[in-house]
Amino acid sequence: MSPPTVPQICLRPLTVAAAPAMLQWMRDPDVADNVGLRSEPSLEKTVAWIERTTADPDMAVWAITAAGAHVGNVILDRIDRHLGTARLSIYIGEPEARGKGIGQQAVRLAADQAFTVLNLNKVWLTVHQHNARAIAAYRRAGFLAEGLLREEFVLRGEKCHAVVMGLLRREFNRKAA
């Protein structure tokens, strides 16, 4: 049995045209729970978020496309040019695109941008302890667990721990990106 084929993954600038799809994704409990959504999403809030983040020099926001279709987003925020660090966030919104390696590939592409274009030294993230699939994907992309933030995340009304993971430029394998 041959492994499943992963579609061609690209990162492109996020635009307001993505707002309706993003709104639909944020209404999916699987996405909303894992990103820690704190308020009811709306088209107006989504458009405002896109406009604010794409204008912020301390953020890099991309739409993830697989075989030409927008399937999710990846974000570098909290960019600290003095420390050379940024926080990474990602979600795959399209349910049929999940579990196919798209997120892992997008993480590697975003890390490549962080290290080569933004000239950062470290990309870090937090992920709730119950998101085993994401933790495994981050490990495959080269991230290492750096610590545990106790009861730092609320998942379906219950507090749980968040795992802090990081990837240094010297650890990143560009050939696999």
Side-chain angles (χ1 to χ4, degrees):
M1 180 179 203
S2 61
T5 305
V6 178
Q8 179 63 39
I9 307 303
C10 295
L11 301 183
R12 63 175 173 76
L14 187 65
T15 66
V16 172
M22 290 173 57
L23 175 59
Q24 180 180 339
W25 299 336
M26 287 300 128
R27 289 181 171 155
D28 178 341
D30 287 336
V31 175
D33 287 347
N34 285 318
V35 300
L37 191 64
R38 294 181 181 204
S39 64
E40 186 65 31
S42 71
L43 188 58
E44 296 77 19
K45 288 180 188 177
T46 305
V47 168
W49 183 88
I50 293 169
E51 290 173 341
R52 185 175 59 255
T53 59
T54 56
D56 187 335
D58 293 326
M59 294 184 76
V61 184
W62 297 282
I64 302 165
T65 62
H70 182 205
V71 298
N73 297 323
V74 62
I75 299 115
L76 291 174
D77 68 356
R78 299 189 185 178
I79 296 173
D80 184 323
R81 297 189 195 287
H82 176 74
L83 293 175
T85 62
R87 178 179 68 172
L88 181 132
S89 303
I90 183 172
Y91 66 90
I92 302 300
E94 287 297 328
E96 63 276 358
R98 297 177 197 152
K100 297 183 177 181
I102 293 169
Q104 182 182 335
Q105 242 186 311
V107 165
R108 295 193 56 72
L109 290 171
D112 187 54
Q113 289 288 309
F115 298 134
T116 61
V117 176
L118 299 174
N119 198 30
L120 300 178
N121 183 57
K122 179 180 179 178
V123 175
W124 62 276
L125 60 89
T126 61
V127 57
H128 69 76
Q129 71 186 68
H130 300 297
N131 198 343
R133 206 161 77 181
I135 292 169
Y138 295 135
R139 286 186 193 282
R140 285 190 301 273
F143 283 78
L144 300 175
E146 295 186 341
L148 188 70
L149 300 173
R150 299 179 313 140
E151 296 187 359
E152 188 76 13
F153 196 91
V154 176
L155 180 63
R156 294 179 210 101
E158 298 291 323
K159 290 191 182 232
C160 65
H161 304 327
V163 179
V164 179
M165 302 182 81
L167 176 63
L168 300 175
R169 179 198 324 237
R170 70 175 176 267
E171 299 166 340
F172 182 63
N173 179 359
R174 286 196 69 228
K175 292 177 187 168

